[in-house]
Amino acid sequence: MPFEIIPHTADVRMRCSGSSRDALFHDAVLGTVAMMQPTGREGDKGVTRAIAVASPDTTSLLVDLLNEVLAWMHTRREAYTDVVFNEIAPGVLEVHLTGYVAQGFGEDVKAATYHEVEVKENGAGSWGATIVFDI
Amino acid sequence: MFDSHVIHKKGEFLWEIPTSFRAGMRVPADIYASEAMLAGIAHDRSLEQLVNVAMLPGIQKYAIAMPDAHEGYGFPIGGVAAFDRETGVISPGGIGYDINCGVRLLRTSLDRATIKPFLRDLGHAIFDAVPSGVGRTGRLHLTGEDLDQVLARGAERMAELGYAAQDDLLHIESGGVLHEADPSLVSFFAKARGSNQLGTMGAGNHFVEVGYVETIFDEIGAKELGLTLDQVTVLIHTGSRGLGHQVATDYIRIMNRTMAEYGIQVPDRELACAPFSSKDGQSYFKAMAAAANFAWANRQFITYEVRQAFANVFGSLKPTLSLVYDVAHNIAKVEKHRIGDGERELVVHRKGATRAFPGQPVLIPGSMGTASYVLLGQEAALEKSFGSSCHGAGRRMSRTETYRHMQADDLYQELFAQGIIINAGSKRGLVEEAPFAYKDIDEVVNVVHGAGIAKKVARLRPLVVVKG
């Protein structure tokens, strides 16, 4: 997976990338799940979750999406293995998450922050962002 | 690295970045620090963030950084800013994600010699009694109206439920409750995250620490607070857990969307804010108050659990654990302060900063294995810092960097050699909180003492540290 965890004074920083905006968002979601360190699967049943996220710009959309994912992970103990996006209007994403119920998590990632984050298209087929998480 | 040439020395421990430094600064940025500490603070983005805070609408007198300042989100941690109630803003970044993270100090009827043979037992008893670490849930699972009662009434509600001693509420900042709270403004996710977390410590730099009074600097102050040399004490450091974090996340998101409607632009999304008098401003304030009440309820229930642990270990001695004080260090309060020739109601944001009203106990915990301090707020603090002091040692090293410095087993041994027992749920979490990751607490406290903000009363040293 392209995402990378890098040092930050108080919390955790993740650099993620993708060949498109949706690929970047996909990488960021799976990176967030990985940072939470799911400790195993409970039962055989999978989970699917449909959520909608609306934000005024692409950067806010990414952070708001990750916070929505974290909220569901914390409250339902779900770990997601795949995510599909459908932009139903500018800045409005319909998100389909699939995964499983986790036994627990090894890390308490509390929130994705807007600290120094900026979604950038670095050239054709290259999108990137670095997100700081409060833990 | 901030250009230190633009910083003017105003006093032995006071420095200032004037408004002429950058267009848009409405007030100067004041920093309380020694010269050596200032050099350290200038290394990260703290001062840049402080300058940004000085630009926010309605800010009064100065934006302030305390000696433990370090880079945060939007506002620096160790920062204080006050805004006019009518014309100013409220900003979740000026309070922090862990709303009402704070510290509580208990004094016991035991002395160091008495408990020395029982330190390991006591550590185990507290570790068993107070759930800590990632994913650990509490003994009280509250939902619906029961949870709303806690959000509305904080420590008062815990007293009603039988989890407080008679005088506890008298020794908590604001009596352990902000009556402005409105539980209906706390989201489903926030309540879901907090519903099984009452009475839990969390992880990271949160702890329960049994210690003793090592030094008394002010005999009269110590007597007022009931502190004597070698007396055993308990410090509790934790906040509003997942509930408070979700409240902060929710409202930063809302304000990022609605800020433009109020004609506000900020250089950093984490400075998202709304006029205090607006619907969004009031909604956040009331939700923040509810989260603050949850934190006070949390520390109250942990106090109950710690009292039980002491009773289990020292039963026949019937130890008493009395509350000295409980302070919030991530909160916004509406307070009256002198502005010019008159008084005005201000929304005082303290993020990693402690209220220090005259005569009020100020509790400054050091990093694990070092010292903590008890001080008393001084009259001068009202003029110098809106009655505010520092909150701790301040982090200076990333978590990843700590692993390069030391292994957990070596840290256990080093602390044990100092007579400190550690009960930690996570070896990695232990190393991340090693003393070398933080600034020197003695230096930090000496600044606020020297600046006349708060007066040293006692120095505490740890005996048993329990953390997640």
Side-chain angles (χ1 to χ4, degrees), chain B residues 172-370:
Chain B
I172 307 175
E173 184 180 333
S174 301
V177 57
L178 293 181
H179 293 289
E180 298 94 335
D182 184 347
S184 73
L185 295 169
V186 174
S187 70
F188 158 80
F189 277 136
K191 290 180 182 177
R193 285 177 77 170
S195 70
N196 60 5
Q197 292 187 329
L198 262 185
T200 68
M201 200 192 305
N205 63 1
H206 295 156
F207 61 79
V208 173
E209 180 180 288
V210 180
Y212 69 100
V213 179
E214 176 218 57
T215 309
I216 287 179
F217 303 99
D218 173 9
E219 293 284 349
I220 296 172
K223 193 171 177 186
E224 251 176 56
L225 300 179
L227 297 174
T228 54
L229 273 178
D230 283 332
Q231 181 181 34
V232 171
T233 56
V234 180
L235 278 169
I236 298 168
H237 175 222
T238 189
S240 51
R241 311 286 287 105
L243 185 142
H245 278 81
Q246 190 66 47
V247 167
T249 299
D250 292 339
Y251 281 91
I252 291 171
R253 181 176 173 179
I254 288 169
M255 288 183 182
N256 259 314
R257 284 205 298 259
T258 61
M259 242 185 335
E261 294 169 22
Y262 302 112
I264 298 173
Q265 280 186 309
V266 294
D268 180 343
R269 285 187 181 90
E270 287 285 327
L271 284 168
C273 57
F276 182 72
S277 57
S278 69
K279 177 174 168 290
D280 290 326
Q282 285 296 297
S283 293
Y284 168 67
F285 182 58
K286 291 170 184 175
M288 182 222 76
N293 291 344
F294 184 87
W296 274 313
N298 190 30
R299 290 199 287 279
Q300 190 59 48
F301 195 66
I302 291 174
T303 300
Y304 170 79
E305 291 168 327
V306 169
R307 282 171 171 150
Q308 284 200 315
F310 268 76
N312 288 342
V313 175
F314 300 106
S316 60
L317 294 177
K318 293 191 180 358
T320 58
L321 278 72
S322 307
L323 185 44
V324 175
Y325 207 64
D326 178 310
V327 290
H329 54 233
N330 278 359
I331 204 159
K333 296 275 203 67
V334 176
E335 296 168 356
K336 278 195 182 143
H337 288 276
R338 182 152 288 277
I339 302 289
D341 292 332
E343 267 198 341
R344 243 193 263 180
E345 277 199 322
L346 305 181
V347 186
V348 182
H349 294 51
R350 296 186 179 98
K351 175 178 172 177
T354 305
R355 194 182 73 172
F357 281 0
Q360 176 216 304
V362 178
L363 310 174
I364 310 295
S367 54
M368 183 181 60
T370 62

Side-chain angles (χ1 to χ4, degrees), chain A residues 68-85:
Chain A
E68 192 82 8
V69 166
L70 281 168
W72 285 108
M73 290 183 77
H74 279 293
T75 56
R76 293 288 191 262
R77 223 178 343 112
E78 293 174 354
Y80 306 113
T81 52
D82 201 9
V83 56
V84 174
F85 305 101

Side-chain angles (χ1 to χ4, degrees), chain A residues 10-11 107 114-116 134, chain B residues 45 73 245 270 399 428:
Chain A
D11 297 302
E107 184 60 87
Y114 297 91
H115 185 66
E116 297 183 338
D134 183 45
Chain B
R45 295 196 62 229
Y73 308 130
H245 278 81
E270 287 285 327
R399 294 171 197 275
R428 195 193 72 192

